[in-house]
Every structure is written in structure tokens, then in C-alpha cells.
């Protein structure tokens, strides 16, 4: 009597089984579809980030680098006054000897040499050279930063001359944004020369003044202290000539710490933010959906 009641539950379980299998089979399809949809979005975000990152970095770097303060250089042979030339190189032609340059707005130099004969007592020889190099702001950094790097190389070069003796260096105040004087003695077949080099940076321009003297044919050697005073005077006049050629200052204040250029930090920050943030957030979103 109770068999039909007992069979009914068995039939219902058999009928339900295909439905459960069908639903179970549908679930992975939905998960796969959701996963594909999530991965597709992540890939699009990463692609957009990769395309936008270099542009954002280049834009931020360009904005961070300020234009160079000085846009030109003075005539090389006019940077030292005639009076100063009369004191330093009394027998030299005042017009000087201008060096060759492919672009006088970027680089220039002029030199003067003087041989003052004292007859049987010998002669006094003097040689003065003023060189200028101007830096533009570019992808490497600001003009003042590039000039600072070159300034340091010039000082290091003056301190490491082959054959130099009694080399001494000292900072120079009141001349440009930073200046260093280097002195040493150098023996040549003509005699013993006392060399004075003053390297100065003013904004994005580096001025290097070389001044040496020697007593020849038995004349006494010049005093190194006097030669250094003269070299400093010439350097100060050359720096003033650079400023005057650009309207007395070039429209920018002197930079005190060119080595801490804002372009480095500005160029790094956008790259890190643009390249890491979108890809991480996209991958986390895909993990949550799966």
C-alpha cells in the first residue's frame, strides 16, 4: 500500500539531477566570462597607462626645467677694460687675439701676451686668456645646473695639471655665483712660470681666466700674490661684462644650489605614478571578480 508513496521521492530526485548538472555546468561559463571581462578591462587600463606615461613624464620634465638666464655672450676681447689690460699685459695689443668659434653666442675666448724687455736685466712675460662657455636648458637639466657641472670640471682640471708644483686652491667671493682660484708653478725651458686660474660661474655661463707670468733671461720671477690679484680683477670684469650683455642680470636671480635641480624629482614622480597605479588597481579588481 505504501510503495507508490516511497517511489515518488526517488523519481523527483532523478528528475532534479539533470537540472543540477545543467546549473553546475553553467556556473563555470559565467565565471570564465566574468574573468575574461575583468582581464580585458585590466589590459585596456595598462595599455592606456603605457601610452600616457611617457607623455606625462616629458611634460612634467619640461615644466620643471626653467629657461636659461643668459641668452648671449659679450664680445670676447671686450670683457676686460683697457686700464686693466695695461696693468696685466702692458706690451700687448689692446684689441687682443680672438679665438675661433662656431657660435659666439655659446662660446668665445680672447688672449693677450706681453713681453716687456729690460735689456740686459732680462724680460717680463705675461699671458692672459679669458674663455666663456654658455649653457642652454635642455633635456639634461637647467642651464645653471649644466654650467655648475662644467665649472667643477674646470676647477678639477686646473688642480691636476701635469708637472705643476705647489698647487693651491681657494674660494673667491664677490665674483659670480661661485668661483675658485687655483695657483701653481710650472717649469718650462724658457723659465719658471707662475700660473693663476680663476674659474667662475655666473648663472648659466662659466668664465675661465688664465693668467701667468715669468721672469726671463735672468729677470726675477713675478710675485704670485700680485698675479692672483690681477687674475681676480680680470675675472670680475669678465663676469660683469656677461651680465651687462644680457641686460644686467638676465631676468633671473642667482642660483645658490644648482646641483639640487627640480627637474630630477619632477621627471621621476610622474613615471612612477603613471606606470604602477593603474596596473595594480586593475589586477586587484580582476582578483575580486574571479
Amino acid at each position: 500500500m505504501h510503495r507508490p508513496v516511497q517511489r515518488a521521492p526517488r523519481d523527483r530526485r532523478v528528475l532534479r539531477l539533470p537540472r543540477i548538472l545543467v546549473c553546475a555546468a553553467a556556473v563555470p561559463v559565467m565565471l570564465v566570462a566574468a574573468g575574461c571581462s575583468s582581464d580585458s578591462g585590466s589590459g585596456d587600463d595598462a595599455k592606456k597607462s603605457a601610452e600616457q606615461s611617457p607623455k606625462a613624464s616629458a611634460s612634467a620634465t619640461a615644466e620643471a626645467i626653467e629657461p636659461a638666464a643668459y641668452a648671449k655672450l659679450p664680445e670676447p676681447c671686450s670683457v676686460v677694460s683697457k686700464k686693466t689690460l695695461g696693468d696685466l699685459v702692458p706690451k700687448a695689443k689692446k684689441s687682443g687675439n680672438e679665438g675661433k668659434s662656431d657660435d659666439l653666442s655659446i662660446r668665445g675666448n680672447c688672449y693677450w701676451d706681453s713681453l716687456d724687455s729690460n735689456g740686459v736685466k732680462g724680460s717680463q712675460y705675461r699671458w692672459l686668456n679669458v674663455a666663456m662657455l654658455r649653457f642652454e636648458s635642455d633635456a639634461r637639466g637647467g642651464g645653471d645646473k649644466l654650467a655648475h657641472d662644467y665649472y667643477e670640471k674646470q676647477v678639477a682640471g686646473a688642480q691636476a695639471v701635469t708637472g705643476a708644483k705647489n698647487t693651491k686652491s681657494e674660494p673667491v667671493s664677490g665674483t659670480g655665483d661661485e668661483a675658485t682660484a687655483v695657483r701653481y708653478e710650472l717649469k718650462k725651458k724658457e723659465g719658471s712660470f707662475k700660473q693663476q686660474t680663476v674659474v667662475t660661474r655666473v648663472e648659466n655661463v662659466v668664465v675661465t681666466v688664465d693668467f701667468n707670468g715669468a721672469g726671463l733671461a735672468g729677470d726675477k720671477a713675478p710675485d704670485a700674490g700680485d698675479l692672483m690679484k690681477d687674475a681676480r680683477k680680470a675675472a670680475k670684469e669678465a663676469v660683469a661684462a656677461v651680465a651687462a650683455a644680457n641686460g644686467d642680470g638676465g631676468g633671473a636671480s642667482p642660483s645658490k644650489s644648482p646641483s639640487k635641480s627640480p627637474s630630477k624629482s619632477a621627471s621621476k614622480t610622474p613615471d612612477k605614478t603613471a606606470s604602477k597605479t593603474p596596473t595594480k588597481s586593475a589586477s586587484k579588481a580582476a582578483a575580486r571578480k574571479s
Side-chain angles (χ1 to χ4, degrees):
M1 293 175 63
H2 298 290
R3 287 180 183 176
V5 176
Q6 293 174 352
R7 282 197 297 268
R10 289 195 192 100
D11 294 341
R12 281 193 291 269
R13 282 199 297 271
V14 173
L15 291 171
R16 287 175 184 166
L17 183 58
R19 294 178 182 175
I20 294 172
L21 292 174
V22 171
C23 292
V27 171
V29 176
M30 294 173 63
L31 290 175
V32 171
C36 291
S37 175
S38 174
D39 289 344
S40 177
S42 175
D44 291 342
D45 289 344
K47 185 178 180 181
K48 290 179 180 179
S49 174
E51 291 175 350
Q52 294 175 0
S53 220
K55 294 179 181 179
S57 176
S59 176
T61 303
E63 291 177 1
I65 301 175
E66 295 182 357
Y70 292 150
K72 58 183 178 179
L73 295 175
E75 290 292 331
C77 295
S78 67
V79 297
V80 180
S81 68
K82 290 183 178 181
K83 182 180 184 308
T84 298
L85 290 174
D87 294 336
L88 274 62
V89 282
K91 297 298 181 179
K93 60 177 183 178
K94 300 302 182 288
S95 59
N97 301 277
E98 187 172 328
K100 293 182 179 180
S101 173
D102 53 354
D103 188 348
L104 287 174
S105 70
I106 298 295
R107 67 180 71 241
N109 81 284
C110 189
Y111 73 90
W112 299 260
D113 56 351
S114 171
L115 184 61
D116 189 3
S117 178
N118 294 314
V120 295
K121 294 182 179 181
S123 303
Q124 285 292 321
Y125 176 77
R126 298 289 186 275
W127 181 79
L128 172 67
N129 184 78
V130 180
M132 299 172 290
L133 186 60
R134 185 178 65 85
F135 292 85
E136 293 279 9
S137 298
D138 56 31
R140 298 171 298 167
D144 59 340
K145 168 63 170 58
L146 299 175
H148 169 77
D149 294 343
Y150 180 73
Y151 160 83
E152 291 192 329
K153 290 179 181 179
Q154 285 289 88
V155 173
Q159 294 170 334
V161 173
T162 302
K165 293 183 177 181
N166 303 321
T167 302
K168 297 179 181 179
S169 301
E170 57 187 5
V172 177
S173 60
T175 304
D177 296 315
E178 51 188 338
T180 300
V182 182
R183 68 170 69 178
Y184 55 85
E185 294 180 11
L186 195 62
K187 286 189 177 182
K188 298 182 180 181
K189 63 179 182 179
E190 296 87 354
S192 179
F193 288 77
K194 295 189 177 182
Q195 172 71 35
Q196 323 295 318
T197 299
V198 180
V199 185
T200 304
R201 181 188 68 82
V202 53
E203 296 288 2
N204 56 309
V205 176
V206 176
V207 177
T208 304
V209 172
D210 288 300
F211 183 51
N212 65 51
L216 307 178
D219 203 349
K220 65 179 181 178
D223 182 75
D226 291 340
L227 292 179
M228 179 54 74
K229 289 179 182 178
D230 291 338
R232 287 189 179 191
K233 184 178 182 181
K236 193 168 186 177
E237 288 186 7
V239 167
V242 172
N246 288 274
D248 191 24
S253 59
S255 49
K256 300 301 179 183
S257 55
S259 58
K260 297 179 181 179
S261 176
S263 61
K264 290 186 177 180
S265 59
S267 61
K268 289 182 179 179
T269 304
D271 288 342
K272 291 182 178 179
T273 305
S275 61
K276 292 185 178 180
T277 306
T279 53
K280 282 187 176 181
S281 61
S283 60
K284 288 181 180 179
R288 286 198 297 270
K289 289 183 181 180
S290 60

